[in-house]
Structure formats: structure tokens, C-alpha cells
Amino acid sequence: TYTTDTKSREENKKTLENLYSLSVDITKIRRLKEWVLLQDVAYVKEIAGILQEMGADETTVASIIERCPEAILHTPAEINSQRALWQLVCQNEKQLIKLIEQFPESFFTTEYQQNQKANILFFQELGLKNNIITRFLTSAPNIFYNPVEQNKNVIETLQRNYLNLGGSEANMKIWILKLLSQNPFILLNTSTAIQENLEFLQNNYFTDQEVLQLLSKLKGFIFQLNSTTMQKSMLFSKNIFKCSDQELKQLVLKCPALLYYSVTVLEERLEGLLKEGISIAQIRETPMVLELTTQIVQYRIQKLSALGYDIKSGNLESLNGTKKDFEVTYGKIQSKKERPVFNPVAPLHIED
């Protein structure tokens, strides 16, 4: 973070000249972060030189600076340290420059280098592959800003609970690595929050085995919730589906979204389904349909209706799943519709 309260409000002429010489679009910087151009000291040529050393051409250098202008305010020493740090997990400089081009802000956040390094080494010890760690560095950089002890505490809490819930020592490492690779943001939670959420589930009659099942299905998102929101969502579902505690538990195991989404989201999705003529009974039979946004549901219903498939009289399984799952289902219904009906009385034309 750099101060915007500069002594002179004039743009630094030397900075402008150096940026022009690199064919950087200065109007973009003025629109995005003009304060960068007002700083007394900038390292335009030096930072461009380091990027070129790594294999970036002129267009790439200009693109990186336009998207992350504060890059030029870092000293060459800071950037070289960051370069060495990311090389711990990058195969080569070609891959590194490609990552910087795609995620310049993640690379040029250099304030937490000690924490970043300690966390990279910790993740490697844990058994995470380098390609997963590079994905974390670019898409979830915040987890590297934590002191490594904090991340270790969260992992230890997860490991302890996994074993307490009946998970085996042999499977624990695979479970932790899968959970982390699916949702690294669980590391932004405190150990206390994780503990509280697990206790909430146990207090709501979920067995240890069912809690483990939910953790795997929710990909760790359960740790970003709190007991109040989960309680409200479960109460809403119980009233809508008019079910007992035991029935509600089975619905949640089938569709963890009933636990994860807020009442507002569930209400909106339910309303969208009812408007399409779908009944509460149908939704209760296939609650996973609530994992889809209203727009996706409408689009899929329209596509199926065009084939003459009446969703109101069938079950909702055909709406479910990822985009790929739906395309497979749609293809099957389409080919079934196009297939000629076999007439057992019609003569068979068989050549001799």
C-alpha cells in the first residue's frame, strides 16, 4: 500500500517518459491508479528489465504494468526476491512469466515474503503438488499472508477432527489434500470456527460418519459458515418441506446446499421453480435442484420443453448436475425422441 498524499500533485515526468518508451497505455493507468504516476520514485526500467529477463516480450511487459501499475513502485531487490520465491513451485521461468501475466497483482504483493516462503515450504511438506501451490498463489494469495503457525493450526484441527469422527489415519492425508485443493480458503478460518461448526452438526443429530460425508460433499465450505445461518437455513427447509428432524437430516445429506445457502438464496430458487409449475413434492424428492441458479433452471427447462419433455409431470433428475451432466441427459432424451418407433408387424427388408 502506497500513500496517495504526495507532496506535489504533478505526475512524475521521468516515470511518464519511461512508460512511453515501453509503449504502456498511460491513459489506462490514469483511469485505474493515477496515484502511481504521482510518486517521487518509480523503477519502471528496472522492473521491465527483470520481466524481460524472464522471457516477457514488450507487449507482455506493457500489459502487466497497465493491469498492475504499482509493480513499478517495488524495488528490483523486492521483485527478485519474489521471483526466487515463486520459482520454488514453478517449473521454469516461462511458466512463471505466464502466471505473472495472468495474475500480476498476486505476484506484485511483496509485503509478506517471509510468510509466503514459510507457507510454500509447509504446503510442500504437507504433500501438495507444486501445480496446486501455484494455483493457490494466484487464486488464493491471502492464505500465504497468514503466519505459517496459523495455517498449521487449522490443518491440525482438521486432522484431529477427521480422526475423532472415525476417519482412518491411512486416508487422512488424502482427505486433507483433497479438501485443500478444492477449497484453500478454509485456511482463512480460525480453528475455533471449524470446531464450532462441527459441533453444531453433531448437536443436530448427524452421526460422525454423516458429518464426514457432509465435509467431503461441501468441499470445506461448511467451515465458512456459522451455526446461526445454518440453523436458519435448516429451519426454513423444515417448514417448506413439512418434514421431521430425521427427514430433514436425510434431505441435507442428499443436498448439502440446504445447509450452505442462506434463506434468501433458498427462497429465490424455490420461487423460481414454483413459477415453472414444479411442485414442492417434486423438489423434496430431488432437492439437489436447489443447487442450481434460477437462470440455469429456466434455461434447462426451456431446452427440455423444446423436445416435448414435460418437467411438471416427470422427476427433476434431468435438470440436475453440471453443464456437462445436463448435456449428456439432454442428448439421451433427444436421441430417444428422434429414434423411429419399431413396428413389429412391418416386413423386414433383408437382402439375400
Side-chain angles (χ1 to χ4, degrees):
T1 41
Y2 301 91
T3 177
T4 53
D5 182 22
T6 48
K7 292 173 194 168
S8 86
R9 299 300 299 169
E10 280 186 16
E11 291 178 349
N12 185 323
K13 286 190 174 65
K14 191 182 175 191
T15 301
L16 294 178
E17 283 168 18
N18 289 334
L19 289 171
Y20 277 126
S21 72
L22 292 167
S23 305
V24 172
D25 185 343
I26 296 186
T27 55
K28 280 186 182 176
I29 296 180
R30 286 195 182 112
R31 195 170 61 244
L32 199 67
K33 290 176 181 172
E34 191 190 12
W35 57 270
V36 169
L37 303 173
L38 307 176
Q39 305 303 312
D40 293 334
V41 181
Y43 302 92
V44 182
K45 284 185 173 177
E46 293 87 342
I47 301 310
I50 292 170
L51 293 172
Q52 284 162 346
E53 262 178 46
M54 284 190 266
D57 58 22
E58 191 179 292
T59 312
T60 303
V61 170
S63 165
I64 288 168
I65 294 173
E66 283 163 10
R67 288 173 55 215
C68 184
E70 60 269 42
I72 63 172
L73 301 179
H74 290 289
T75 66
E78 285 174 330
I79 297 311
N80 277 322
S81 292
Q82 194 74 338
R83 175 184 178 180
L85 199 60
W86 282 46
Q87 279 175 328
L88 292 172
V89 287
C90 284
Q91 292 168 355
N92 49 45
E93 293 209 317
K94 189 181 175 185
Q95 187 199 6
L96 177 52
I97 201 69
K98 198 175 173 187
L99 288 174
I100 298 171
E101 190 182 0
Q102 289 175 302
F103 307 95
E105 288 189 354
S106 297
F107 180 78
F108 289 105
T109 302
T110 62
E111 290 87 341
Y112 308 92
Q113 280 181 343
Q114 278 186 314
N115 285 358
Q116 282 184 327
K117 185 172 184 178
N119 279 307
I120 286 171
L121 296 174
F122 167 59
F123 292 141
Q124 285 176 329
E125 281 168 28
L126 203 60
L128 277 172
K129 290 189 168 71
N130 283 343
N131 64 324
I132 301 287
I133 300 173
T134 53
R135 181 155 61 80
F136 289 179
L137 277 168
T138 53
S139 59
N142 294 18
I143 67 172
F144 293 87
Y145 308 158
N146 291 341
V148 72
E149 292 73 24
Q150 192 176 320
N151 286 339
K152 279 182 180 175
N153 281 343
V154 172
I155 296 295
E156 282 164 11
T157 303
L158 290 169
Q159 289 171 328
R160 189 172 58 251
N161 278 292
Y162 180 78
L163 294 174
N164 289 346
L165 290 166
S168 72
E169 191 88 47
N171 292 334
M172 183 174 69
K173 185 181 176 180
I174 297 164
W175 182 78
I176 286 283
L177 295 181
K178 191 176 177 186
L179 200 63
L180 270 178
S181 59
Q182 287 172 332
N183 181 17
F185 297 104
I186 55 174
L187 292 169
L188 298 178
N189 297 284
T190 62
S191 304
T192 316
I194 289 172
Q195 200 68 50
E196 282 173 1
N197 286 352
L198 292 174
E199 282 168 12
F200 168 82
L201 293 174
Q202 288 170 313
N203 293 339
N204 276 274
Y205 314 111
F206 288 93
T207 65
D208 289 354
Q209 196 55 44
E210 287 166 345
V211 174
L212 266 185
Q213 191 184 325
L214 273 175
L215 295 191
S216 300
K217 279 193 175 183
L218 277 166
K219 299 177 183 176
F221 289 114
I222 190 169
F223 302 128
Q224 287 161 248
L225 303 175
N226 62 63
S227 52
T228 311
T229 55
M230 287 193 281
Q231 188 73 61
K232 284 179 181 172
S233 296
M234 282 176 74
L235 190 61
F236 172 78
S237 298
K238 188 177 179 181
N239 292 335
I240 286 293
F241 296 120
K242 297 182 171 53
C243 55
S244 66
D245 288 338
Q246 194 55 36
E247 287 168 332
L248 175 64
K249 193 175 83 162
Q250 293 311 313
L251 283 176
V252 170
L253 288 169
K254 259 172 116 174
C255 175
L258 296 176
L259 196 66
Y260 177 66
Y261 288 123
S262 67
V263 170
T264 317
V265 170
L266 290 173
E267 268 179 331
E268 184 212 323
R269 293 188 178 185
L270 204 66
E271 200 178 310
L273 289 162
L274 296 175
K275 273 183 186 170
E276 295 293 335
I278 290 164
S279 69
I280 290 284
Q282 281 176 294
I283 301 167
R284 181 172 166 170
E285 193 62 38
T286 317
M288 295 79 75
V289 77
L290 290 166
E291 291 173 359
L292 305 169
T293 65
T294 305
Q295 291 79 3
I296 290 173
V297 166
Q298 285 170 342
Y299 167 76
R300 291 183 181 184
I301 288 174
Q302 280 168 9
K303 283 203 79 172
L304 292 172
S305 296
L307 293 178
Y309 185 91
D310 183 13
I311 201 75
K312 285 174 260 186
S313 58
N315 79 26
L316 305 182
E317 287 293 340
S318 49
L319 289 178
N320 275 342
T322 60
K323 186 181 177 185
K324 195 176 175 183
D325 295 335
F326 175 72
E327 281 167 3
V328 169
T329 304
Y330 178 80
K332 283 179 184 173
I333 294 170
Q334 190 177 34
S335 62
K336 197 174 178 183
K337 185 174 183 282
E338 288 169 358
R339 198 181 300 138
V341 178
F342 175 63
N343 181 353
V345 183
L348 292 173
H349 299 289
I350 300 169
E351 291 177 11
D352 292 335

